[in-house]
Amino acid sequence: MISVNRMPGVASLALVLGLQIGSAGSVLADEPWAERTQALGASEDMPTGVLPKDELLRLIDTGKALFEAHFTTLDGVGRPQATQAIDPTRRKHPREQVFFRTAGPDAGSCAACHNQPAIGGAGDFVANVFASEGFESADFDSLDPQFSSERGTNHLFGAGLVELLAREMSAELQAIRGDVLSQARAGGAAVRLPLEAKGVEFGYISAEPDGSVNLDELDGVDTDLVIRPFTQKGVMTSLRQFSINALNQHHGMQASERFGARWTGSDDFDGDGKTAEISSADVSALVSWQATLPAPVRMVPEAAGWAEAAERGEASFTDFGCTVCHRPALPLETLSFADPGPFDLAGTLNDGQVGAKAVYDISLLNWAKDLPRDAEGRVLVPLFGDLKRHVMTDNQIDALGNELLSQRFVDRNIFQTAELWGVGSTQPYGHRNDFSTLNEIILAHGGNGREARDAYAAAPDAEKSALIAFLKTLVIVP
């Protein structure tokens, strides 16, 4: 016990606490008071096969500990010689401090931004981040919008279901590409087919008998026909990619599968003296926790008249045309979440780069038993979205087109439909959290959302209020 009247010297204090005081990296991670993150390396190998419930829950617990952990310089926080770019990129000038609000690293933990109304949730305006575009030139320390786009933090509840929907929709769209090619070759003439997945239309695709494909009529999806369901722009393919990007940008923690010797030729690409900062097994643990977060639910507050108002508001939500983009539910064939997934590209592991993938069976979790199903047994994921990108501005209403940079080649005024499940728990609103009320963000819809916005704007105040009452029943209950 340390006396409050007489403090020991540094050496004797170290003996009292059982610490080693040699080099900066000598504090042992297996001591409960150590300043390293104990959950790092808790999973030595990537999981494989279908995980039984007890193994899945242990992996989820490890992932949660990593998500909540405040990483330290002993873990590898900071990237003095590396930028925040998606591709591993060297800095032109070494960073003199660990944290930097604009270009990052800007947070000690994932939970520092994802915490509203609980860990894994959204963030307030104060937690906004700055997404830089560019792969070799993302070396800046500026808030100027010509260098970065300010973004709010999205919540992750139900994220595993969203990624599963995106995978199934991508497979459907790519199957149509195969069909149009086969039909053109077999018939010896050009063929044009609609692109549709789970009832969501993504334009048209045409093919010639010689095997050439015309993608000029695509709408709201990339030319590889892969749905990328994460971030406001819809540019992140998977929770795995999202996690690897965020670890580097926000914490300066490099995942070996992207920043290790395989891709960069170095075990310490960022030059901070730490190697193997985040293993592929650590990333798998993080993915398992995010992928199994419960879906948001509907919950009517116990206030007089709220239930009746919400019922009227839900009808108006449809009548105004909001459900054209904010679809109440999309059907999902399976709750088996494979990790790594099938569509990731270089720098993020996919299922073709591992000997055996892991499968996290979401149906084993108690919250999943309450998910609605259709007559065919498919899960109806109540996301109020369509996983499609839309133009969100026009000549009269352009508040959502306030960025100067495109991100991953997606135009500045195009954003993916925001899933509204959980919207009652995640104020403020908009892609940079600068709308304080639901009324304000609805009125900011232009472009593809203009018709529904105008119908709402023209409605009586009581009808508008009822729609807001409905939206506020879509909440996150951890």
mmCIF file of all heavy atoms in Angstrom, residues 389-419:
data_model
loop_
_atom_site.group_PDB
_atom_site.id
_atom_site.type_symbol
_atom_site.label_atom_id
_atom_site.label_comp_id
_atom_site.label_asym_id
_atom_site.label_seq_id
_atom_site.Cartn_x
_atom_site.Cartn_y
_atom_site.Cartn_z
ATOM 1 N N ARG A 389 -27.323 5.144 -53.853
ATOM 2 C CA ARG A 389 -26.931 6.551 -53.840
ATOM 3 C C ARG A 389 -27.925 7.384 -54.646
ATOM 4 O O ARG A 389 -28.429 6.933 -55.675
ATOM 5 C CB ARG A 389 -25.542 6.714 -54.449
ATOM 6 C CG ARG A 389 -24.437 5.944 -53.742
ATOM 7 C CD ARG A 389 -23.095 6.311 -54.340
ATOM 8 N NE ARG A 389 -22.052 5.387 -53.911
ATOM 9 C CZ ARG A 389 -21.299 4.664 -54.736
ATOM 10 N NH1 ARG A 389 -21.477 4.774 -56.052
ATOM 11 N NH2 ARG A 389 -20.377 3.857 -54.282
ATOM 12 N N HIS A 390 -28.151 8.607 -54.176
ATOM 13 C CA HIS A 390 -29.094 9.513 -54.835
ATOM 14 C C HIS A 390 -28.528 10.926 -54.874
ATOM 15 O O HIS A 390 -27.788 11.349 -53.980
ATOM 16 C CB HIS A 390 -30.426 9.552 -54.077
ATOM 17 C CG HIS A 390 -31.148 8.259 -54.036
ATOM 18 N ND1 HIS A 390 -32.034 7.859 -55.005
ATOM 19 C CD2 HIS A 390 -31.114 7.245 -53.124
ATOM 20 C CE1 HIS A 390 -32.529 6.669 -54.703
ATOM 21 N NE2 HIS A 390 -31.984 6.278 -53.572
ATOM 22 N N VAL A 391 -28.920 11.686 -55.893
ATOM 23 C CA VAL A 391 -28.626 13.116 -55.942
ATOM 24 C C VAL A 391 -29.495 13.812 -54.901
ATOM 25 O O VAL A 391 -30.706 13.622 -54.863
ATOM 26 C CB VAL A 391 -28.919 13.686 -57.346
ATOM 27 C CG1 VAL A 391 -28.758 15.206 -57.349
ATOM 28 C CG2 VAL A 391 -28.009 13.047 -58.378
ATOM 29 N N MET A 392 -28.868 14.618 -54.050
ATOM 30 C CA MET A 392 -29.595 15.217 -52.932
ATOM 31 C C MET A 392 -29.712 16.733 -53.020
ATOM 32 O O MET A 392 -30.081 17.386 -52.041
ATOM 33 C CB MET A 392 -28.922 14.820 -51.615
ATOM 34 C CG MET A 392 -29.028 13.340 -51.301
ATOM 35 S SD MET A 392 -30.723 12.705 -51.319
ATOM 36 C CE MET A 392 -31.469 13.691 -50.021
ATOM 37 N N THR A 393 -29.409 17.318 -54.177
ATOM 38 C CA THR A 393 -29.542 18.763 -54.331
ATOM 39 C C THR A 393 -30.170 19.087 -55.679
ATOM 40 O O THR A 393 -30.213 18.255 -56.589
ATOM 41 C CB THR A 393 -28.167 19.466 -54.267
ATOM 42 O OG1 THR A 393 -27.393 19.087 -55.408
ATOM 43 C CG2 THR A 393 -27.419 19.115 -53.007
ATOM 44 N N ASP A 394 -30.661 20.311 -55.786
ATOM 45 C CA ASP A 394 -31.114 20.844 -57.073
ATOM 46 C C ASP A 394 -30.848 22.354 -57.067
ATOM 47 O O ASP A 394 -30.180 22.864 -56.153
ATOM 48 C CB ASP A 394 -32.587 20.503 -57.340
ATOM 49 C CG ASP A 394 -33.507 20.923 -56.207
ATOM 50 O OD1 ASP A 394 -33.372 22.074 -55.730
ATOM 51 O OD2 ASP A 394 -34.372 20.123 -55.790
ATOM 52 N N ASN A 395 -31.374 23.067 -58.052
ATOM 53 C CA ASN A 395 -31.063 24.495 -58.179
ATOM 54 C C ASN A 395 -31.648 25.336 -57.059
ATOM 55 O O ASN A 395 -31.163 26.437 -56.786
ATOM 56 C CB ASN A 395 -31.562 25.028 -59.523
ATOM 57 C CG ASN A 395 -30.751 24.498 -60.684
ATOM 58 O OD1 ASN A 395 -29.596 24.134 -60.519
ATOM 59 N ND2 ASN A 395 -31.355 24.449 -61.865
ATOM 60 N N GLN A 396 -32.715 24.852 -56.414
ATOM 61 C CA GLN A 396 -33.344 25.623 -55.342
ATOM 62 C C GLN A 396 -32.892 25.189 -53.954
ATOM 63 O O GLN A 396 -32.799 25.997 -53.031
ATOM 64 C CB GLN A 396 -34.876 25.496 -55.428
ATOM 65 C CG GLN A 396 -35.515 26.213 -56.602
ATOM 66 C CD GLN A 396 -35.340 25.456 -57.902
ATOM 67 O OE1 GLN A 396 -35.457 24.235 -57.918
ATOM 68 N NE2 GLN A 396 -35.069 26.169 -58.986
ATOM 69 N N ILE A 397 -32.633 23.899 -53.782
ATOM 70 C CA ILE A 397 -32.289 23.372 -52.459
ATOM 71 C C ILE A 397 -30.954 22.657 -52.567
ATOM 72 O O ILE A 397 -30.844 21.597 -53.198
ATOM 73 C CB ILE A 397 -33.388 22.409 -51.946
ATOM 74 C CG1 ILE A 397 -34.710 23.158 -51.820
ATOM 75 C CG2 ILE A 397 -32.986 21.805 -50.607
ATOM 76 C CD1 ILE A 397 -35.859 22.299 -51.375
ATOM 77 N N ASP A 398 -29.925 23.221 -51.951
ATOM 78 C CA ASP A 398 -28.590 22.657 -52.117
ATOM 79 C C ASP A 398 -27.810 22.554 -50.813
ATOM 80 O O ASP A 398 -26.586 22.439 -50.806
ATOM 81 C CB ASP A 398 -27.782 23.477 -53.124
ATOM 82 C CG ASP A 398 -27.593 24.929 -52.683
ATOM 83 O OD1 ASP A 398 -28.105 25.301 -51.610
ATOM 84 O OD2 ASP A 398 -26.932 25.689 -53.424
ATOM 85 N N ALA A 399 -28.519 22.572 -49.683
ATOM 86 C CA ALA A 399 -27.829 22.548 -48.385
ATOM 87 C C ALA A 399 -27.003 21.291 -48.191
ATOM 88 O O ALA A 399 -26.002 21.299 -47.470
ATOM 89 C CB ALA A 399 -28.845 22.690 -47.250
ATOM 90 N N LEU A 400 -27.415 20.185 -48.818
ATOM 91 C CA LEU A 400 -26.669 18.934 -48.661
ATOM 92 C C LEU A 400 -25.576 18.781 -49.710
ATOM 93 O O LEU A 400 -24.932 17.730 -49.779
ATOM 94 C CB LEU A 400 -27.635 17.739 -48.721
ATOM 95 C CG LEU A 400 -28.637 17.663 -47.563
ATOM 96 C CD1 LEU A 400 -29.590 16.497 -47.755
ATOM 97 C CD2 LEU A 400 -27.911 17.549 -46.228
ATOM 98 N N GLY A 401 -25.342 19.809 -50.494
ATOM 99 C CA GLY A 401 -24.275 19.763 -51.487
ATOM 100 C C GLY A 401 -23.139 20.680 -51.127
ATOM 101 O O GLY A 401 -22.581 21.361 -51.986
ATOM 102 N N ASN A 402 -22.778 20.727 -49.850
ATOM 103 C CA ASN A 402 -21.828 21.728 -49.371
ATOM 104 C C ASN A 402 -20.392 21.206 -49.323
ATOM 105 O O ASN A 402 -19.565 21.721 -48.600
ATOM 106 C CB ASN A 402 -22.244 22.216 -47.982
ATOM 107 C CG ASN A 402 -22.462 21.070 -47.006
ATOM 108 O OD1 ASN A 402 -22.129 19.924 -47.312
ATOM 109 N ND2 ASN A 402 -23.022 21.374 -45.843
ATOM 110 N N GLU A 403 -20.083 20.168 -50.076
ATOM 111 C CA GLU A 403 -18.721 19.656 -50.103
ATOM 112 C C GLU A 403 -18.030 20.067 -51.409
ATOM 113 O O GLU A 403 -18.679 20.222 -52.448
ATOM 114 C CB GLU A 403 -18.723 18.125 -49.974
ATOM 115 C CG GLU A 403 -19.319 17.662 -48.652
ATOM 116 C CD GLU A 403 -19.195 16.163 -48.439
ATOM 117 O OE1 GLU A 403 -18.899 15.426 -49.407
ATOM 118 O OE2 GLU A 403 -19.402 15.739 -47.296
ATOM 119 N N LEU A 404 -16.714 20.229 -51.353
ATOM 120 C CA LEU A 404 -15.950 20.586 -52.532
ATOM 121 C C LEU A 404 -15.231 19.385 -53.133
ATOM 122 O O LEU A 404 -14.812 19.414 -54.283
ATOM 123 C CB LEU A 404 -14.924 21.678 -52.186
ATOM 124 C CG LEU A 404 -15.509 23.014 -51.703
ATOM 125 C CD1 LEU A 404 -14.387 24.008 -51.435
ATOM 126 C CD2 LEU A 404 -16.480 23.577 -52.735
ATOM 127 N N LEU A 405 -15.059 18.345 -52.337
ATOM 128 C CA LEU A 405 -14.346 17.155 -52.787
ATOM 129 C C LEU A 405 -15.322 16.020 -53.066
ATOM 130 O O LEU A 405 -16.267 15.798 -52.306
ATOM 131 C CB LEU A 405 -13.372 16.671 -51.713
ATOM 132 C CG LEU A 405 -12.043 17.396 -51.545
ATOM 133 C CD1 LEU A 405 -11.286 16.808 -50.374
ATOM 134 C CD2 LEU A 405 -11.205 17.307 -52.797
ATOM 135 N N SER A 406 -15.083 15.280 -54.119
ATOM 136 C CA SER A 406 -15.783 14.010 -54.291
ATOM 137 C C SER A 406 -15.045 12.970 -53.464
ATOM 138 O O SER A 406 -13.852 13.120 -53.173
ATOM 139 C CB SER A 406 -15.808 13.582 -55.762
ATOM 140 O OG SER A 406 -14.495 13.344 -56.221
ATOM 141 N N GLN A 407 -15.736 11.947 -53.044
ATOM 142 C CA GLN A 407 -15.109 10.874 -52.277
ATOM 143 C C GLN A 407 -15.229 9.581 -53.060
ATOM 144 O O GLN A 407 -16.325 9.171 -53.429
ATOM 145 C CB GLN A 407 -15.762 10.720 -50.901
ATOM 146 C CG GLN A 407 -15.051 9.669 -50.032
ATOM 147 C CD GLN A 407 -15.702 9.508 -48.677
ATOM 148 O OE1 GLN A 407 -16.763 10.056 -48.422
ATOM 149 N NE2 GLN A 407 -15.070 8.742 -47.801
ATOM 150 N N ARG A 408 -14.105 8.955 -53.302
ATOM 151 C CA ARG A 408 -14.056 7.699 -54.051
ATOM 152 C C ARG A 408 -14.835 7.814 -55.357
ATOM 153 O O ARG A 408 -15.571 6.925 -55.742
ATOM 154 C CB ARG A 408 -14.589 6.544 -53.204
ATOM 155 C CG ARG A 408 -13.831 6.295 -51.910
ATOM 156 C CD ARG A 408 -12.394 5.883 -52.123
ATOM 157 N NE ARG A 408 -12.300 4.610 -52.811
ATOM 158 C CZ ARG A 408 -12.358 3.415 -52.196
ATOM 159 N NH1 ARG A 408 -12.532 3.366 -50.882
ATOM 160 N NH2 ARG A 408 -12.242 2.307 -52.887
ATOM 161 N N PHE A 409 -14.704 8.961 -56.022
ATOM 162 C CA PHE A 409 -15.285 9.205 -57.346
ATOM 163 C C PHE A 409 -16.814 9.323 -57.333
ATOM 164 O O PHE A 409 -17.454 9.254 -58.374
ATOM 165 C CB PHE A 409 -14.847 8.115 -58.337
ATOM 166 C CG PHE A 409 -13.378 7.805 -58.248
ATOM 167 C CD1 PHE A 409 -12.924 6.610 -57.722
ATOM 168 C CD2 PHE A 409 -12.445 8.746 -58.662
ATOM 169 C CE1 PHE A 409 -11.564 6.340 -57.623
ATOM 170 C CE2 PHE A 409 -11.077 8.486 -58.567
ATOM 171 C CZ PHE A 409 -10.642 7.278 -58.048
ATOM 172 N N VAL A 410 -17.396 9.536 -56.165
ATOM 173 C CA VAL A 410 -18.830 9.788 -56.052
ATOM 174 C C VAL A 410 -19.028 11.300 -56.011
ATOM 175 O O VAL A 410 -18.409 11.981 -55.189
ATOM 176 C CB VAL A 410 -19.419 9.143 -54.785
ATOM 177 C CG1 VAL A 410 -20.905 9.450 -54.665
ATOM 178 C CG2 VAL A 410 -19.187 7.638 -54.806
ATOM 179 N N ASP A 411 -19.883 11.826 -56.882
ATOM 180 C CA ASP A 411 -20.050 13.271 -56.981
ATOM 181 C C ASP A 411 -20.423 13.896 -55.643
ATOM 182 O O ASP A 411 -21.031 13.257 -54.771
ATOM 183 C CB ASP A 411 -21.119 13.608 -58.021
ATOM 184 C CG ASP A 411 -20.626 13.416 -59.453
ATOM 185 O OD1 ASP A 411 -19.404 13.256 -59.628
ATOM 186 O OD2 ASP A 411 -21.458 13.405 -60.370
ATOM 187 N N ARG A 412 -20.126 15.186 -55.528
ATOM 188 C CA ARG A 412 -20.245 15.889 -54.242
ATOM 189 C C ARG A 412 -21.670 15.967 -53.716
ATOM 190 O O ARG A 412 -21.884 16.030 -52.508
ATOM 191 C CB ARG A 412 -19.680 17.305 -54.386
ATOM 192 C CG ARG A 412 -18.191 17.339 -54.670
ATOM 193 C CD ARG A 412 -17.736 18.738 -54.989
ATOM 194 N NE ARG A 412 -18.326 19.228 -56.228
ATOM 195 C CZ ARG A 412 -18.260 20.488 -56.634
ATOM 196 N NH1 ARG A 412 -17.655 21.389 -55.893
ATOM 197 N NH2 ARG A 412 -18.811 20.846 -57.770
ATOM 198 N N ASN A 413 -22.656 15.972 -54.609
ATOM 199 C CA ASN A 413 -24.047 16.118 -54.155
ATOM 200 C C ASN A 413 -24.797 14.791 -54.152
ATOM 201 O O ASN A 413 -26.017 14.765 -54.077
ATOM 202 C CB ASN A 413 -24.789 17.121 -55.034
ATOM 203 C CG ASN A 413 -24.891 16.667 -56.482
ATOM 204 O OD1 ASN A 413 -24.121 15.823 -56.939
ATOM 205 N ND2 ASN A 413 -25.837 17.247 -57.208
ATOM 206 N N ILE A 414 -24.047 13.698 -54.215
ATOM 207 C CA ILE A 414 -24.661 12.372 -54.194
ATOM 208 C C ILE A 414 -24.335 11.683 -52.875
ATOM 209 O O ILE A 414 -23.165 11.616 -52.473
ATOM 210 C CB ILE A 414 -24.164 11.519 -55.385
ATOM 211 C CG1 ILE A 414 -24.687 12.105 -56.689
ATOM 212 C CG2 ILE A 414 -24.605 10.065 -55.239
ATOM 213 C CD1 ILE A 414 -24.213 11.366 -57.931
ATOM 214 N N PHE A 415 -25.370 11.182 -52.202
ATOM 215 C CA PHE A 415 -25.201 10.483 -50.934
ATOM 216 C C PHE A 415 -26.079 9.238 -50.924
ATOM 217 O O PHE A 415 -27.116 9.192 -51.575
ATOM 218 C CB PHE A 415 -25.584 11.391 -49.757
ATOM 219 C CG PHE A 415 -24.664 12.563 -49.578
ATOM 220 C CD1 PHE A 415 -24.873 13.748 -50.263
ATOM 221 C CD2 PHE A 415 -23.571 12.471 -48.739
ATOM 222 C CE1 PHE A 415 -24.022 14.834 -50.118
ATOM 223 C CE2 PHE A 415 -22.705 13.548 -48.578
ATOM 224 C CZ PHE A 415 -22.934 14.726 -49.268
ATOM 225 N N GLN A 416 -25.646 8.248 -50.152
ATOM 226 C CA GLN A 416 -26.481 7.071 -49.983
ATOM 227 C C GLN A 416 -27.658 7.403 -49.068
ATOM 228 O O GLN A 416 -27.519 8.178 -48.118
ATOM 229 C CB GLN A 416 -25.671 5.924 -49.366
ATOM 230 C CG GLN A 416 -26.480 4.649 -49.196
ATOM 231 C CD GLN A 416 -25.630 3.493 -48.724
ATOM 232 O OE1 GLN A 416 -25.002 2.816 -49.508
ATOM 233 N NE2 GLN A 416 -25.616 3.267 -47.420
ATOM 234 N N THR A 417 -28.796 6.806 -49.364
ATOM 235 C CA THR A 417 -29.961 6.987 -48.506
ATOM 236 C C THR A 417 -29.600 6.639 -47.067
ATOM 237 O O THR A 417 -29.085 5.551 -46.792
ATOM 238 C CB THR A 417 -31.118 6.079 -48.963
ATOM 239 O OG1 THR A 417 -31.458 6.396 -50.312
ATOM 240 C CG2 THR A 417 -32.333 6.265 -48.070
ATOM 241 N N ALA A 418 -29.855 7.552 -46.159
ATOM 242 C CA ALA A 418 -29.599 7.280 -44.749
ATOM 243 C C ALA A 418 -30.634 6.297 -44.226
ATOM 244 O O ALA A 418 -31.841 6.515 -44.402
ATOM 245 C CB ALA A 418 -29.654 8.575 -43.950
ATOM 246 N N GLU A 419 -30.164 5.205 -43.608
ATOM 247 C CA GLU A 419 -31.122 4.304 -42.971
ATOM 248 C C GLU A 419 -31.710 5.014 -41.745
ATOM 249 O O GLU A 419 -30.972 5.528 -40.912
ATOM 250 C CB GLU A 419 -30.428 3.007 -42.541
ATOM 251 C CG GLU A 419 -29.971 2.135 -43.689
ATOM 252 C CD GLU A 419 -28.535 2.408 -44.120
ATOM 253 O OE1 GLU A 419 -27.687 2.701 -43.264
ATOM 254 O OE2 GLU A 419 -28.260 2.340 -45.335
#
